[in-house]
Amino acid sequence: MNSTHILKESGQTTTTLWFNNMCLTLPVDDVIDKLSALEQYALSCYNVTASHKVAVQSLTTIEEVNNYDITADYPSKIDLS
């Protein structure tokens, strides 16, 4: 994200991203938008995981552990297409 902002500030309008052996040249603004969305999604997931860790540490019986839903409250998967 930082390098993309630097490119934008220097007047660049496109940037290059690599995925495996594929090189993509994309508009800087599009990349910033997608990276921002990804970072927000990652932060939301992290917060849910952290709350699950706290909740799991307070469980005291096997029944509580078996009934705990570790998949609850996560945001819907992000669509970056």
Side-chain angles (χ1 to χ4, degrees), residues 17-71:
L17 297 178
W18 286 88
F19 294 99
N20 295 322
N21 294 331
M22 185 173 45
C23 175
L24 302 171
T25 301
L26 301 167
V28 168
D29 288 331
D30 289 353
V31 172
I32 289 171
D33 289 345
K34 297 215 185 286
L35 289 174
S36 293
L38 180 60
E39 188 166 343
Q40 290 173 22
Y41 174 77
L43 180 59
S44 294
C45 289
Y46 173 81
N47 286 332
V48 172
T49 299
S51 70
H52 282 307
K53 285 181 175 182
V54 169
V56 166
Q57 289 175 349
S58 71
L59 301 177
T60 58
T61 67
I62 292 174
E63 183 178 349
E64 288 176 326
V65 171
N66 288 337
N67 291 330
Y68 190 82
D69 183 3
I70 63 169
T71 65

